[in-house]
Each structure stands twice: as C-alpha cells, then as structure tokens.
Amino acid sequence: MPVHFGSTEFHFHTISSPLATQIPQAAGVAYALKRDPNRRGKSCAICYFGEGAASEGDFHAGLGMASVLGGPLIFFCRNNGFAISTPSAEQYAGDGIAARGPGYGIDTIRVDGNDALAVYAAVKEARRRAIEGNKAVLVEAMSYRVGHHSTSDDSFAYRAKQEVEDWKKIDNPHHRLRKYLESEGWWTAEDEEAVRSQQKKAVFAAFQKAEKLKKPSLDNLFNDVYDKLPWNLVEQKDELKRLLNKYGEDWEPWRTELQKFKDAGKSL
C-alpha cells in the first residue's frame, strides 16, 4: 500500500497490512540483536500495534517468543478504544492489554497516551530495561481515536458524535502539550499561528510540485519488493510488456495512461 514505508538506513521495517504480523517478527529481531555482539547492549527494537491487533493470535505468539528467547524489545500498544471499528468492551473482558504482560513474565507499564511527556518517560525507562536486561517490555498507552479509522469508516455508526467532540476538547494531547509549553514560557499563540501558516504554505507547495511530477517508471511495479524477481513476477512482467507492445500505442486509454509515467512504459 502507498503509506507502507520502510527504511534500511533508519532501521525501519516495512509496514504490512495484515494485523499483528509485526509482533512475532519483532521478537525475532530482538533475538537477533541479542545474538549480535556488535549491537548487543546498544540497539533496541520497538514494535507498535493497537489493542485490536492484540486480539490476534500473533500477539500471543510474539510475546511468548520474546519472553522465552529474550532480546531488547519494546512492545508498544496504542489502545485507542476502537481498533478498526470494534469498541474495546467487545474485544476483551479483562483489564486492557497491560494485564497480559505479567502472564508472560514481561515487565509492563500502562501510561496516559495523551500525555506526550509521560509517554516519553515511559518509553525511555522501557528502553533502559530492555537493553540492560536483554528482554522485552510491554507499554500500553491509553488514548482515544477521535478520527475515523479510514476513509471507508463511519465511526459515528458505533459511537456518539458528541462523545468524540468532548474528547477533542477535554483530553486533546496536542492542546495539553501546547498548554504545558505555554506555561513554561516556551511557546505562545503567536508562535502557534506562525508555524501553522508556514506549514500550510509548505504543504500546499509540496502538493503543487507533486501533482506536476510524473509517476515512477512502470517497472517499479515489480522491482521494489524482491532482490531477485521470483518466476511468477517475471511471467507477469513479460505479459505486461507483451500487452503494451501490442496495444500501448493503438488503444487510446492505454496510450493516455502511459504518458503519465516517467518513461511511458518503455522501462519494461
């Protein structure tokens, strides 16, 4: 999916759509860090997921692996109360996700997820424990999802609109952090307005620039996942090339679409 970024340079594993698959993967990464003498005592893995993903079997598999195999790892659960569209009361009857950590022998902390400074302090301590103890730590950050899960989700079908509006006003993490900065004399309403104006201009400028750019080369459709293309993708790539050679210049819809790519499909 377009928003599933990754970065080898910054050690950021590519995001994947299936729920909770990253949790046992993170346990494996932590075990690898434990066995690597060059990174042992220095590096720590962190795995983010929501309380909805914690309802998957991979959550238990991952915590079980981490508790037995060891390795520096922070399991960070963002409990926003609704997963994709299921209220937490319909996901579990116990005391949230933090209650599960001790059952696996994992150090656990629950923190106010709407308090940026509290989250920072909790994760800092979790990292210290993970690296010094070469073990996993579970952090549950309690929050509230004020937005819809996605463009296809109408969250007002399963919660009251007024409830959302109340949370926006009463326990908004952005407002809380801003108020703290203002109380310390580090931020003002004028600073806020200046930054908002500057960032709005920057975003619109980026949009305008991006909209004028052509799409990446068409062969990127096949080349951005595997180091060496597997046989089935080779066949699909050859088939697309054959169809483009046959119809690309003659069929108007394809001819128009190909012009949107950097190389007009010639990279195939």
Side-chain angles (χ1 to χ4, degrees), residues 117-135:
L117 298 179
V119 172
Y120 173 80
V123 173
K124 182 178 181 181
E125 174 61 17
R127 185 180 186 277
R128 183 191 69 79
R129 292 189 179 213
I131 290 180
E132 292 182 3
N134 220 358
K135 61 183 181 180

Side-chain angles (χ1 to χ4, degrees), residues 7 9 16 22 28-29 41 44-45 52 59 64 80-81 104-105 109 129 133 143 145 168 189 191 215 229 256:
S7 171
E9 179 184 359
S16 56
Q22 73 271 29
V29 169
C44 176
F59 169 82
N80 64 31
Y104 286 101
I109 184 172
R129 292 189 179 213
S143 188
R145 173 161 63 77
K168 285 183 180 179
D191 293 329
K215 296 180 180 180
L229 284 184
T256 301

Side-chain angles (χ1 to χ4, degrees), residues 51-169:
E51 86 287 351
S55 296
E56 296 286 334
D58 275 351
F59 169 82
H60 298 281
L63 265 68
M65 289 172 60
S67 66
V68 174
L69 298 176
L73 170 60
I74 300 171
F75 289 116
F76 191 99
C77 177
R78 298 168 293 201
N79 190 337
N80 64 31
F82 292 98
I84 293 178
S85 59
T86 306
S88 58
E90 298 178 18
Q91 295 183 58
Y92 52 77
D95 183 19
I97 309 305
R100 304 176 190 178
Y104 286 101
I106 292 177
D107 288 359
T108 303
I109 184 172
R110 174 178 287 157
V111 63
D112 180 354
N114 291 343
D115 184 337
L117 298 179
V119 172
Y120 173 80
V123 173
K124 182 178 181 181
E125 174 61 17
R127 185 180 186 277
R128 183 191 69 79
R129 292 189 179 213
I131 290 180
E132 292 182 3
N134 220 358
K135 61 183 181 180
V137 179
L138 172 63
V139 177
E140 181 181 21
M142 307 302 292
S143 188
Y144 184 91
R145 173 161 63 77
V146 296
H148 305 295
H149 175 75
S150 65
T151 54
S152 61
D153 173 42
D154 178 12
S155 66
F156 300 136
Y158 50 84
R159 61 182 180 178
K161 186 174 182 179
Q162 187 57 50
E163 175 185 318
V164 177
E165 294 302 318
D166 289 343
W167 272 90
K168 285 183 180 179
K169 299 173 183 176

Side-chain angles (χ1 to χ4, degrees), residues 68 91 97 109 121 126 139 147 149 156 169 178 188 195 200 231 233 238 245 257-258:
V68 174
Q91 295 183 58
I97 309 305
I109 184 172
V139 177
H149 175 75
F156 300 136
K169 299 173 183 176
R178 186 175 71 245
T188 65
V195 169
K200 186 176 182 179
W231 65 269
L233 285 186
D238 291 342
N245 288 336
E257 190 65 25
L258 284 171

Side-chain angles (χ1 to χ4, degrees), residues 29-43 134:
V29 169
Y31 184 53
L33 293 176
K34 175 184 177 181
R35 293 176 58 84
D36 186 346
N38 294 322
R39 301 184 69 181
R40 189 183 306 135
K42 302 176 183 177
S43 301
N134 220 358

